[in-house]
Amino acid sequence: MPSVNTLVVDRADLLGLGQLHQIRGRVGRSNQRAYAYLFHPADRVLTEQAYERLRTVGEHTELGAGFKIAMRDLEIRGAGNLLGSTQSGHIAAVGYDLYVQMVAEAVADARGEPRPEPPTVSLDVPGDAHLPNDYVPLEDGRLEAYRRLAASVSIADVDDVAEEWTDRYGPPPPAAQGLLALARLRAECLRVGISEVSVSPARLGGARHPVARLSPVSLPASAQVRLRRLSPGGVYRDQSHQLVVPLTGEGLPADVLRSLVAELVPPPAEPPAAGSMPGA
């Protein structure tokens, strides 16, 4: 009935997420604004799953929200038994991404294949780096933004995330800019092979500036010459493959370190395009 624009559901807490989504879709099928009222008893405490179902339906009202609701239903009920007919599982206890990773590791063990170890970088860099609640209001949105940023392995990936944040939420505040700066530093460390970055405050050891330590770092003789030019107080310890530099530049410490690493160990030059002439 396209002319119907109001739906009232009693005891909505007893319905499944898929049922709620389908019933809500019965109204609003014309060019008139529609309303769906989902009621539950005020004198009864909702179960955690019922609350999550109603919250999910209330938050996802935009066009094309069915996929997001299906993914949320997957997290609430679980992915089921991969080797049986059970339709519910324990994915809610670990989350969808971790569940998929655990399944992949279990399959690799069953096949006798070695587990791929993802590269990690330990960053101990001062600064405010997080997504404020007033910038990304929904908790699910913040978790997805953190997850997407953590999966970035190159500067281009981080720039894509920054463009998406700007398009969806507006210009990033200082705390979000600090988070992006850390992600760019992490991507640069992954490119070079650095696994640990730590910054000591200026008050330690009588230093006038904060001191950063990066390891392991392999600097050829030409890069060590550039180090004396770029950071006069910097020291490269060949035996321990550690780089110690004072942070004397302006800007975020993560940005300063990323620029220094990029200049000391520049990325390889891209090959010329096919058919181009040298010096053209």
Side-chain angles (χ1 to χ4, degrees):
M1 294 181 290
S3 61
V4 176
N5 70 337
T6 302
L7 174 72
V8 178
V9 181
D10 189 24
R11 293 308 306 270
D13 56 306
L14 299 180
L15 298 179
L17 186 54
Q19 293 173 318
L20 291 172
H21 178 57
Q22 290 292 334
I23 291 176
R24 184 184 62 178
R26 297 307 94 196
V27 295
R29 307 182 71 84
S30 181
N31 57 354
Q32 300 296 325
R33 184 177 181 88
Y35 302 87
Y37 297 95
L38 308 180
F39 289 95
H40 61 85
D43 56 346
R44 297 186 184 182
V45 179
L46 292 177
T47 64
E48 182 178 353
Q49 288 192 346
Y51 172 78
E52 288 295 331
R53 290 195 297 264
L54 294 175
R55 184 172 72 92
T56 300
V57 171
E59 290 179 351
H60 297 90
T61 58
E62 69 278 6
L63 184 65
F67 178 75
K68 296 180 181 178
I69 291 179
M71 292 298 296
R72 185 58 182 153
D73 183 48
L74 179 65
E75 293 189 358
I76 294 175
R77 295 193 305 119
N81 187 346
L82 296 180
L83 303 179
S85 58
T86 306
Q87 293 188 6
S88 61
H90 304 285
I91 192 173
V94 296
Y96 176 74
D97 291 331
L98 180 57
Y99 180 83
V100 172
Q101 178 182 343
M102 292 172 64
V103 170
E105 292 177 354
V107 172
D109 287 342
R111 293 178 175 176
E113 300 174 353
R115 295 184 183 181
E117 293 292 337
T120 58
V121 180
S122 174
L123 298 178
D124 185 10
V125 180
D128 194 6
H130 70 280
L131 288 175
N133 295 350
D134 56 354
Y135 182 59
V136 184
L138 296 180
E139 181 180 359
D140 292 345
R142 289 196 301 274
L143 291 177
E144 174 62 21
Y146 282 126
R147 185 200 64 79
R148 173 112 190 269
L149 190 63
S152 302
V153 295
S154 66
I155 301 294
D157 293 340
V158 180
D159 291 341
D160 288 342
V161 173
E163 290 181 4
E164 179 182 344
W165 290 1
T166 303
D167 182 61
R168 295 181 60 182
Y169 309 112
Q177 293 177 6
L179 187 62
L180 292 170
L182 283 180
R184 292 188 178 96
L185 174 60
R186 174 181 175 273
E188 195 67 24
C189 290
L190 288 174
R191 180 185 68 83
V192 178
I194 298 174
S195 60
E196 184 175 358
V197 178
S198 63
V199 177
S200 302
R203 63 178 179 274
L204 295 181
R208 292 180 298 174
H209 302 284
V211 177
R213 292 174 173 82
L214 300 86
S215 63
V217 182
S218 297
L219 293 183
S222 59
Q224 296 182 35
V225 173
R226 286 198 298 272
L227 174 62
R228 289 193 291 268
R229 175 176 57 84
L230 297 172
S231 180
V235 176
Y236 174 64
R237 298 169 181 171
D238 196 3
Q239 294 183 349
S240 60
H241 297 283
Q242 186 182 60
L243 178 63
V244 182
V245 293
L247 294 178
T248 58
E250 298 181 356
L252 295 173
D255 284 336
V256 174
L257 290 174
R258 176 180 59 84
S259 300
L260 177 62
V261 171
E263 293 192 55
L264 288 177
V265 188
E270 296 183 359
S276 62
M277 297 294 294

PDB file of all heavy atoms in Angstrom, residues 158-193:
ATOM      1  N   VAL A 158      46.914   6.165   3.833  1.00  0.00           N
ATOM      2  CA  VAL A 158      46.546   7.103   4.896  1.00  0.00           C
ATOM      3  C   VAL A 158      45.899   8.347   4.308  1.00  0.00           C
ATOM      4  O   VAL A 158      44.925   8.879   4.863  1.00  0.00           O
ATOM      5  CB  VAL A 158      47.779   7.468   5.741  1.00  0.00           C
ATOM      6  CG1 VAL A 158      47.403   8.452   6.840  1.00  0.00           C
ATOM      7  CG2 VAL A 158      48.405   6.217   6.357  1.00  0.00           C
ATOM      8  N   ASP A 159      46.409   8.824   3.174  1.00  0.00           N
ATOM      9  CA  ASP A 159      45.809   9.998   2.534  1.00  0.00           C
ATOM     10  C   ASP A 159      44.378   9.704   2.084  1.00  0.00           C
ATOM     11  O   ASP A 159      43.503  10.583   2.165  1.00  0.00           O
ATOM     12  CB  ASP A 159      46.665  10.435   1.335  1.00  0.00           C
ATOM     13  CG  ASP A 159      48.013  11.012   1.764  1.00  0.00           C
ATOM     14  OD1 ASP A 159      48.133  11.405   2.943  1.00  0.00           O
ATOM     15  OD2 ASP A 159      48.934  11.045   0.934  1.00  0.00           O
ATOM     16  N   ASP A 160      44.127   8.491   1.611  1.00  0.00           N
ATOM     17  CA  ASP A 160      42.755   8.121   1.228  1.00  0.00           C
ATOM     18  C   ASP A 160      41.827   8.154   2.442  1.00  0.00           C
ATOM     19  O   ASP A 160      40.683   8.616   2.355  1.00  0.00           O
ATOM     20  CB  ASP A 160      42.742   6.726   0.603  1.00  0.00           C
ATOM     21  CG  ASP A 160      43.350   6.716  -0.792  1.00  0.00           C
ATOM     22  OD1 ASP A 160      43.452   7.797  -1.396  1.00  0.00           O
ATOM     23  OD2 ASP A 160      43.726   5.620  -1.269  1.00  0.00           O
ATOM     24  N   VAL A 161      42.320   7.658   3.591  1.00  0.00           N
ATOM     25  CA  VAL A 161      41.515   7.689   4.815  1.00  0.00           C
ATOM     26  C   VAL A 161      41.234   9.130   5.227  1.00  0.00           C
ATOM     27  O   VAL A 161      40.116   9.476   5.625  1.00  0.00           O
ATOM     28  CB  VAL A 161      42.228   6.921   5.945  1.00  0.00           C
ATOM     29  CG1 VAL A 161      41.492   7.099   7.272  1.00  0.00           C
ATOM     30  CG2 VAL A 161      42.335   5.443   5.604  1.00  0.00           C
ATOM     31  N   ALA A 162      42.256   9.986   5.134  1.00  0.00           N
ATOM     32  CA  ALA A 162      42.075  11.393   5.500  1.00  0.00           C
ATOM     33  C   ALA A 162      41.041  12.066   4.597  1.00  0.00           C
ATOM     34  O   ALA A 162      40.209  12.855   5.074  1.00  0.00           O
ATOM     35  CB  ALA A 162      43.415  12.126   5.417  1.00  0.00           C
ATOM     36  N   GLU A 163      41.073  11.770   3.299  1.00  0.00           N
ATOM     37  CA  GLU A 163      40.078  12.342   2.387  1.00  0.00           C
ATOM     38  C   GLU A 163      38.679  11.846   2.721  1.00  0.00           C
ATOM     39  O   GLU A 163      37.704  12.608   2.651  1.00  0.00           O
ATOM     40  CB  GLU A 163      40.445  11.980   0.949  1.00  0.00           C
ATOM     41  CG  GLU A 163      41.694  12.677   0.428  1.00  0.00           C
ATOM     42  CD  GLU A 163      42.003  12.302  -1.009  1.00  0.00           C
ATOM     43  OE1 GLU A 163      41.179  11.558  -1.603  1.00  0.00           O
ATOM     44  OE2 GLU A 163      43.043  12.719  -1.531  1.00  0.00           O
ATOM     45  N   GLU A 164      38.561  10.578   3.092  1.00  0.00           N
ATOM     46  CA  GLU A 164      37.245  10.038   3.444  1.00  0.00           C
ATOM     47  C   GLU A 164      36.713  10.711   4.708  1.00  0.00           C
ATOM     48  O   GLU A 164      35.532  11.061   4.779  1.00  0.00           O
ATOM     49  CB  GLU A 164      37.337   8.529   3.661  1.00  0.00           C
ATOM     50  CG  GLU A 164      36.013   7.892   4.056  1.00  0.00           C
ATOM     51  CD  GLU A 164      36.131   6.407   4.316  1.00  0.00           C
ATOM     52  OE1 GLU A 164      37.157   5.811   3.900  1.00  0.00           O
ATOM     53  OE2 GLU A 164      35.221   5.831   4.941  1.00  0.00           O
ATOM     54  N   TRP A 165      37.569  10.881   5.723  1.00  0.00           N
ATOM     55  CA  TRP A 165      37.139  11.559   6.950  1.00  0.00           C
ATOM     56  C   TRP A 165      36.683  12.982   6.649  1.00  0.00           C
ATOM     57  O   TRP A 165      35.655  13.433   7.172  1.00  0.00           O
ATOM     58  CB  TRP A 165      38.272  11.578   7.960  1.00  0.00           C
ATOM     59  CG  TRP A 165      38.604  10.234   8.537  1.00  0.00           C
ATOM     60  CD1 TRP A 165      38.010   9.040   8.238  1.00  0.00           C
ATOM     61  CD2 TRP A 165      39.607   9.941   9.508  1.00  0.00           C
ATOM     62  NE1 TRP A 165      38.578   8.036   8.962  1.00  0.00           N
ATOM     63  CE2 TRP A 165      39.559   8.543   9.743  1.00  0.00           C
ATOM     64  CE3 TRP A 165      40.550  10.714  10.183  1.00  0.00           C
ATOM     65  CZ2 TRP A 165      40.424   7.915  10.641  1.00  0.00           C
ATOM     66  CZ3 TRP A 165      41.403  10.100  11.074  1.00  0.00           C
ATOM     67  CH2 TRP A 165      41.339   8.709  11.305  1.00  0.00           C
ATOM     68  N   THR A 166      37.438  13.694   5.837  1.00  0.00           N
ATOM     69  CA  THR A 166      37.076  15.071   5.509  1.00  0.00           C
ATOM     70  C   THR A 166      35.756  15.126   4.765  1.00  0.00           C
ATOM     71  O   THR A 166      34.925  16.016   5.006  1.00  0.00           O
ATOM     72  CB  THR A 166      38.187  15.720   4.664  1.00  0.00           C
ATOM     73  OG1 THR A 166      39.435  15.653   5.387  1.00  0.00           O
ATOM     74  CG2 THR A 166      37.868  17.165   4.365  1.00  0.00           C
ATOM     75  N   ASP A 167      35.536  14.171   3.875  1.00  0.00           N
ATOM     76  CA  ASP A 167      34.299  14.154   3.100  1.00  0.00           C
ATOM     77  C   ASP A 167      33.094  13.811   3.978  1.00  0.00           C
ATOM     78  O   ASP A 167      32.012  14.372   3.795  1.00  0.00           O
ATOM     79  CB  ASP A 167      34.425  13.143   1.960  1.00  0.00           C
ATOM     80  CG  ASP A 167      33.189  13.103   1.079  1.00  0.00           C
ATOM     81  OD1 ASP A 167      32.864  14.141   0.479  1.00  0.00           O
ATOM     82  OD2 ASP A 167      32.543  12.044   1.006  1.00  0.00           O
ATOM     83  N   ARG A 168      33.277  12.908   4.953  1.00  0.00           N
ATOM     84  CA  ARG A 168      32.143  12.451   5.758  1.00  0.00           C
ATOM     85  C   ARG A 168      31.894  13.306   6.991  1.00  0.00           C
ATOM     86  O   ARG A 168      30.750  13.562   7.366  1.00  0.00           O
ATOM     87  CB  ARG A 168      32.363  10.998   6.202  1.00  0.00           C
ATOM     88  CG  ARG A 168      32.394   9.996   5.077  1.00  0.00           C
ATOM     89  CD  ARG A 168      32.593   8.591   5.586  1.00  0.00           C
ATOM     90  NE  ARG A 168      31.526   8.174   6.488  1.00  0.00           N
ATOM     91  CZ  ARG A 168      31.498   6.989   7.102  1.00  0.00           C
ATOM     92  NH1 ARG A 168      32.471   6.124   6.906  1.00  0.00           N
ATOM     93  NH2 ARG A 168      30.496   6.693   7.905  1.00  0.00           N
ATOM     94  N   TYR A 169      32.996  13.765   7.645  1.00  0.00           N
ATOM     95  CA  TYR A 169      32.850  14.430   8.937  1.00  0.00           C
ATOM     96  C   TYR A 169      33.351  15.873   8.943  1.00  0.00           C
ATOM     97  O   TYR A 169      33.174  16.572   9.936  1.00  0.00           O
ATOM     98  CB  TYR A 169      33.613  13.646  10.020  1.00  0.00           C
ATOM     99  CG  TYR A 169      33.272  12.179  10.056  1.00  0.00           C
ATOM    100  CD1 TYR A 169      34.211  11.217   9.691  1.00  0.00           C
ATOM    101  CD2 TYR A 169      32.011  11.736  10.443  1.00  0.00           C
ATOM    102  CE1 TYR A 169      33.912   9.862   9.724  1.00  0.00           C
ATOM    103  CE2 TYR A 169      31.701  10.382  10.478  1.00  0.00           C
ATOM    104  CZ  TYR A 169      32.666   9.455  10.121  1.00  0.00           C
ATOM    105  OH  TYR A 169      32.353   8.115  10.153  1.00  0.00           O
ATOM    106  N   GLY A 170      34.007  16.313   7.883  1.00  0.00           N
ATOM    107  CA  GLY A 170      34.544  17.664   7.859  1.00  0.00           C
ATOM    108  C   GLY A 170      36.043  17.669   8.124  1.00  0.00           C
ATOM    109  O   GLY A 170      36.670  16.609   8.279  1.00  0.00           O
ATOM    110  N   PRO A 171      36.657  18.845   8.168  1.00  0.00           N
ATOM    111  CA  PRO A 171      38.107  18.938   8.411  1.00  0.00           C
ATOM    112  C   PRO A 171      38.479  18.278   9.741  1.00  0.00           C
ATOM    113  O   PRO A 171      37.832  18.508  10.757  1.00  0.00           O
ATOM    114  CB  PRO A 171      38.375  20.447   8.438  1.00  0.00           C
ATOM    115  CG  PRO A 171      37.233  21.048   7.687  1.00  0.00           C
ATOM    116  CD  PRO A 171      36.043  20.174   7.957  1.00  0.00           C
ATOM    117  N   PRO A 172      39.529  17.440   9.764  1.00  0.00           N
ATOM    118  CA  PRO A 172      39.908  16.755  11.004  1.00  0.00           C
ATOM    119  C   PRO A 172      40.385  17.752  12.057  1.00  0.00           C
ATOM    120  O   PRO A 172      41.151  18.675  11.749  1.00  0.00           O
ATOM    121  CB  PRO A 172      41.048  15.825  10.567  1.00  0.00           C
ATOM    122  CG  PRO A 172      40.898  15.688   9.088  1.00  0.00           C
ATOM    123  CD  PRO A 172      40.335  16.991   8.615  1.00  0.00           C
ATOM    124  N   PRO A 173      39.954  17.581  13.309  1.00  0.00           N
ATOM    125  CA  PRO A 173      40.452  18.427  14.398  1.00  0.00           C
ATOM    126  C   PRO A 173      41.895  18.058  14.730  1.00  0.00           C
ATOM    127  O   PRO A 173      42.429  17.071  14.211  1.00  0.00           O
ATOM    128  CB  PRO A 173      39.492  18.108  15.552  1.00  0.00           C
ATOM    129  CG  PRO A 173      38.996  16.738  15.253  1.00  0.00           C
ATOM    130  CD  PRO A 173      38.940  16.620  13.763  1.00  0.00           C
ATOM    131  N   PRO A 174      42.554  18.844  15.599  1.00  0.00           N
ATOM    132  CA  PRO A 174      43.968  18.560  15.913  1.00  0.00           C
ATOM    133  C   PRO A 174      44.220  17.138  16.394  1.00  0.00           C
ATOM    134  O   PRO A 174      45.236  16.521  16.019  1.00  0.00           O
ATOM    135  CB  PRO A 174      44.288  19.593  16.998  1.00  0.00           C
ATOM    136  CG  PRO A 174      43.366  20.729  16.715  1.00  0.00           C
ATOM    137  CD  PRO A 174      42.100  20.109  16.211  1.00  0.00           C
ATOM    138  N   ALA A 175      43.336  16.577  17.212  1.00  0.00           N
ATOM    139  CA  ALA A 175      43.552  15.212  17.709  1.00  0.00           C
ATOM    140  C   ALA A 175      43.523  14.205  16.569  1.00  0.00           C
ATOM    141  O   ALA A 175      44.329  13.265  16.530  1.00  0.00           O
ATOM    142  CB  ALA A 175      42.500  14.865  18.761  1.00  0.00           C
ATOM    143  N   ALA A 176      42.601  14.370  15.617  1.00  0.00           N
ATOM    144  CA  ALA A 176      42.542  13.464  14.467  1.00  0.00           C
ATOM    145  C   ALA A 176      43.738  13.674  13.543  1.00  0.00           C
ATOM    146  O   ALA A 176      44.256  12.713  12.955  1.00  0.00           O
ATOM    147  CB  ALA A 176      41.239  13.679  13.698  1.00  0.00           C
ATOM    148  N   GLN A 177      44.213  14.924  13.410  1.00  0.00           N
ATOM    149  CA  GLN A 177      45.413  15.178  12.615  1.00  0.00           C
ATOM    150  C   GLN A 177      46.627  14.490  13.235  1.00  0.00           C
ATOM    151  O   GLN A 177      47.490  13.971  12.523  1.00  0.00           O
ATOM    152  CB  GLN A 177      45.646  16.678  12.495  1.00  0.00           C
ATOM    153  CG  GLN A 177      44.597  17.403  11.677  1.00  0.00           C
ATOM    154  CD  GLN A 177      44.837  18.908  11.637  1.00  0.00           C
ATOM    155  OE1 GLN A 177      45.844  19.400  12.124  1.00  0.00           O
ATOM    156  NE2 GLN A 177      43.899  19.648  11.050  1.00  0.00           N
ATOM    157  N   GLY A 178      46.698  14.482  14.564  1.00  0.00           N
ATOM    158  CA  GLY A 178      47.787  13.769  15.235  1.00  0.00           C
ATOM    159  C   GLY A 178      47.727  12.278  14.976  1.00  0.00           C
ATOM    160  O   GLY A 178      48.760  11.616  14.809  1.00  0.00           O
ATOM    161  N   LEU A 179      46.511  11.719  14.929  1.00  0.00           N
ATOM    162  CA  LEU A 179      46.355  10.295  14.630  1.00  0.00           C
ATOM    163  C   LEU A 179      46.799   9.980  13.205  1.00  0.00           C
ATOM    164  O   LEU A 179      47.466   8.963  12.957  1.00  0.00           O
ATOM    165  CB  LEU A 179      44.894   9.891  14.842  1.00  0.00           C
ATOM    166  CG  LEU A 179      44.556   8.410  14.731  1.00  0.00           C
ATOM    167  CD1 LEU A 179      45.282   7.609  15.791  1.00  0.00           C
ATOM    168  CD2 LEU A 179      43.056   8.195  14.844  1.00  0.00           C
ATOM    169  N   LEU A 180      46.447  10.846  12.266  1.00  0.00           N
ATOM    170  CA  LEU A 180      46.882  10.650  10.883  1.00  0.00           C
ATOM    171  C   LEU A 180      48.390  10.779  10.752  1.00  0.00           C
ATOM    172  O   LEU A 180      49.024  10.046   9.975  1.00  0.00           O
ATOM    173  CB  LEU A 180      46.185  11.657   9.973  1.00  0.00           C
ATOM    174  CG  LEU A 180      44.673  11.480   9.789  1.00  0.00           C
ATOM    175  CD1 LEU A 180      44.075  12.682   9.072  1.00  0.00           C
ATOM    176  CD2 LEU A 180      44.373  10.202   9.016  1.00  0.00           C
ATOM    177  N   ALA A 181      48.983  11.697  11.516  1.00  0.00           N
ATOM    178  CA  ALA A 181      50.437  11.854  11.473  1.00  0.00           C
ATOM    179  C   ALA A 181      51.134  10.582  11.969  1.00  0.00           C
ATOM    180  O   ALA A 181      52.137  10.144  11.397  1.00  0.00           O
ATOM    181  CB  ALA A 181      50.859  13.057  12.313  1.00  0.00           C
ATOM    182  N   LEU A 182      50.606   9.970  13.023  1.00  0.00           N
ATOM    183  CA  LEU A 182      51.179   8.712  13.510  1.00  0.00           C
ATOM    184  C   LEU A 182      51.035   7.608  12.467  1.00  0.00           C
ATOM    185  O   LEU A 182      51.938   6.783  12.290  1.00  0.00           O
ATOM    186  CB  LEU A 182      50.501   8.294  14.811  1.00  0.00           C
ATOM    187  CG  LEU A 182      50.926   9.021  16.086  1.00  0.00           C
ATOM    188  CD1 LEU A 182      50.148   8.488  17.274  1.00  0.00           C
ATOM    189  CD2 LEU A 182      52.423   8.849  16.331  1.00  0.00           C
ATOM    190  N   ALA A 183      49.897   7.577  11.774  1.00  0.00           N
ATOM    191  CA  ALA A 183      49.687   6.551  10.755  1.00  0.00           C
ATOM    192  C   ALA A 183      50.669   6.735   9.595  1.00  0.00           C
ATOM    193  O   ALA A 183      51.189   5.751   9.040  1.00  0.00           O
ATOM    194  CB  ALA A 183      48.247   6.604  10.248  1.00  0.00           C
ATOM    195  N   ARG A 184      50.942   7.981   9.214  1.00  0.00           N
ATOM    196  CA  ARG A 184      51.921   8.217   8.140  1.00  0.00           C
ATOM    197  C   ARG A 184      53.322   7.818   8.582  1.00  0.00           C
ATOM    198  O   ARG A 184      54.091   7.247   7.803  1.00  0.00           O
ATOM    199  CB  ARG A 184      51.882   9.688   7.716  1.00  0.00           C
ATOM    200  CG  ARG A 184      50.581  10.093   7.023  1.00  0.00           C
ATOM    201  CD  ARG A 184      50.675  11.503   6.465  1.00  0.00           C
ATOM    202  NE  ARG A 184      49.453  11.889   5.759  1.00  0.00           N
ATOM    203  CZ  ARG A 184      48.466  12.592   6.302  1.00  0.00           C
ATOM    204  NH1 ARG A 184      48.567  13.011   7.570  1.00  0.00           N
ATOM    205  NH2 ARG A 184      47.385  12.879   5.614  1.00  0.00           N
ATOM    206  N   LEU A 185      53.660   8.108   9.844  1.00  0.00           N
ATOM    207  CA  LEU A 185      54.964   7.692  10.363  1.00  0.00           C
ATOM    208  C   LEU A 185      55.064   6.166  10.378  1.00  0.00           C
ATOM    209  O   LEU A 185      56.110   5.600  10.021  1.00  0.00           O
ATOM    210  CB  LEU A 185      55.168   8.255  11.772  1.00  0.00           C
ATOM    211  CG  LEU A 185      56.425   7.778  12.512  1.00  0.00           C
ATOM    212  CD1 LEU A 185      57.686   8.151  11.746  1.00  0.00           C
ATOM    213  CD2 LEU A 185      56.457   8.353  13.927  1.00  0.00           C
ATOM    214  N   ARG A 186      54.004   5.503  10.791  1.00  0.00           N
ATOM    215  CA  ARG A 186      54.004   4.032  10.796  1.00  0.00           C
ATOM    216  C   ARG A 186      54.199   3.485   9.384  1.00  0.00           C
ATOM    217  O   ARG A 186      54.966   2.530   9.178  1.00  0.00           O
ATOM    218  CB  ARG A 186      52.696   3.519  11.384  1.00  0.00           C
ATOM    219  CG  ARG A 186      52.523   2.011  11.313  1.00  0.00           C
ATOM    220  CD  ARG A 186      51.197   1.589  11.903  1.00  0.00           C
ATOM    221  NE  ARG A 186      50.956   0.172  11.731  1.00  0.00           N
ATOM    222  CZ  ARG A 186      50.400  -0.372  10.657  1.00  0.00           C
ATOM    223  NH1 ARG A 186      49.997   0.426   9.664  1.00  0.00           N
ATOM    224  NH2 ARG A 186      50.215  -1.674  10.560  1.00  0.00           N
ATOM    225  N   ALA A 187      53.510   4.073   8.393  1.00  0.00           N
ATOM    226  CA  ALA A 187      53.659   3.610   7.018  1.00  0.00           C
ATOM    227  C   ALA A 187      55.089   3.804   6.516  1.00  0.00           C
ATOM    228  O   ALA A 187      55.641   2.939   5.828  1.00  0.00           O
ATOM    229  CB  ALA A 187      52.666   4.350   6.113  1.00  0.00           C
ATOM    230  N   GLU A 188      55.708   4.916   6.882  1.00  0.00           N
ATOM    231  CA  GLU A 188      57.089   5.162   6.459  1.00  0.00           C
ATOM    232  C   GLU A 188      58.041   4.178   7.130  1.00  0.00           C
ATOM    233  O   GLU A 188      58.998   3.698   6.507  1.00  0.00           O
ATOM    234  CB  GLU A 188      57.478   6.606   6.804  1.00  0.00           C
ATOM    235  CG  GLU A 188      58.730   7.094   6.111  1.00  0.00           C
ATOM    236  CD  GLU A 188      58.549   7.221   4.607  1.00  0.00           C
ATOM    237  OE1 GLU A 188      57.396   7.381   4.144  1.00  0.00           O
ATOM    238  OE2 GLU A 188      59.570   7.150   3.900  1.00  0.00           O
ATOM    239  N   CYS A 189      57.777   3.862   8.399  1.00  0.00           N
ATOM    240  CA  CYS A 189      58.609   2.881   9.103  1.00  0.00           C
ATOM    241  C   CYS A 189      58.461   1.496   8.476  1.00  0.00           C
ATOM    242  O   CYS A 189      59.437   0.746   8.363  1.00  0.00           O
ATOM    243  CB  CYS A 189      58.242   2.838  10.584  1.00  0.00           C
ATOM    244  SG  CYS A 189      58.715   4.315  11.524  1.00  0.00           S
ATOM    245  N   LEU A 190      57.250   1.124   8.069  1.00  0.00           N
ATOM    246  CA  LEU A 190      57.054  -0.155   7.409  1.00  0.00           C
ATOM    247  C   LEU A 190      57.834  -0.224   6.103  1.00  0.00           C
ATOM    248  O   LEU A 190      58.399  -1.265   5.755  1.00  0.00           O
ATOM    249  CB  LEU A 190      55.565  -0.388   7.142  1.00  0.00           C
ATOM    250  CG  LEU A 190      54.679  -0.708   8.352  1.00  0.00           C
ATOM    251  CD1 LEU A 190      53.220  -0.762   7.932  1.00  0.00           C
ATOM    252  CD2 LEU A 190      55.099  -2.021   8.998  1.00  0.00           C
ATOM    253  N   ARG A 191      57.890   0.880   5.388  1.00  0.00           N
ATOM    254  CA  ARG A 191      58.630   0.890   4.115  1.00  0.00           C
ATOM    255  C   ARG A 191      60.116   0.686   4.333  1.00  0.00           C
ATOM    256  O   ARG A 191      60.772  -0.067   3.588  1.00  0.00           O
ATOM    257  CB  ARG A 191      58.379   2.218   3.389  1.00  0.00           C
ATOM    258  CG  ARG A 191      59.094   2.336   2.046  1.00  0.00           C
ATOM    259  CD  ARG A 191      58.910   3.717   1.441  1.00  0.00           C
ATOM    260  NE  ARG A 191      59.594   4.743   2.208  1.00  0.00           N
ATOM    261  CZ  ARG A 191      60.908   5.027   2.081  1.00  0.00           C
ATOM    262  NH1 ARG A 191      61.653   4.334   1.218  1.00  0.00           N
ATOM    263  NH2 ARG A 191      61.449   5.993   2.788  1.00  0.00           N
ATOM    264  N   VAL A 192      60.652   1.313   5.380  1.00  0.00           N
ATOM    265  CA  VAL A 192      62.092   1.263   5.618  1.00  0.00           C
ATOM    266  C   VAL A 192      62.488   0.009   6.396  1.00  0.00           C
ATOM    267  O   VAL A 192      63.624  -0.466   6.288  1.00  0.00           O
ATOM    268  CB  VAL A 192      62.537   2.547   6.357  1.00  0.00           C
ATOM    269  CG1 VAL A 192      64.018   2.522   6.677  1.00  0.00           C
ATOM    270  CG2 VAL A 192      62.209   3.768   5.505  1.00  0.00           C
ATOM    271  N   GLY A 193      61.568  -0.533   7.186  1.00  0.00           N
ATOM    272  CA  GLY A 193      61.897  -1.691   8.014  1.00  0.00           C
ATOM    273  C   GLY A 193      62.131  -1.365   9.473  1.00  0.00           C
ATOM    274  O   GLY A 193      62.661  -2.184  10.222  1.00  0.00           O
TER     275      GLY A 193
END
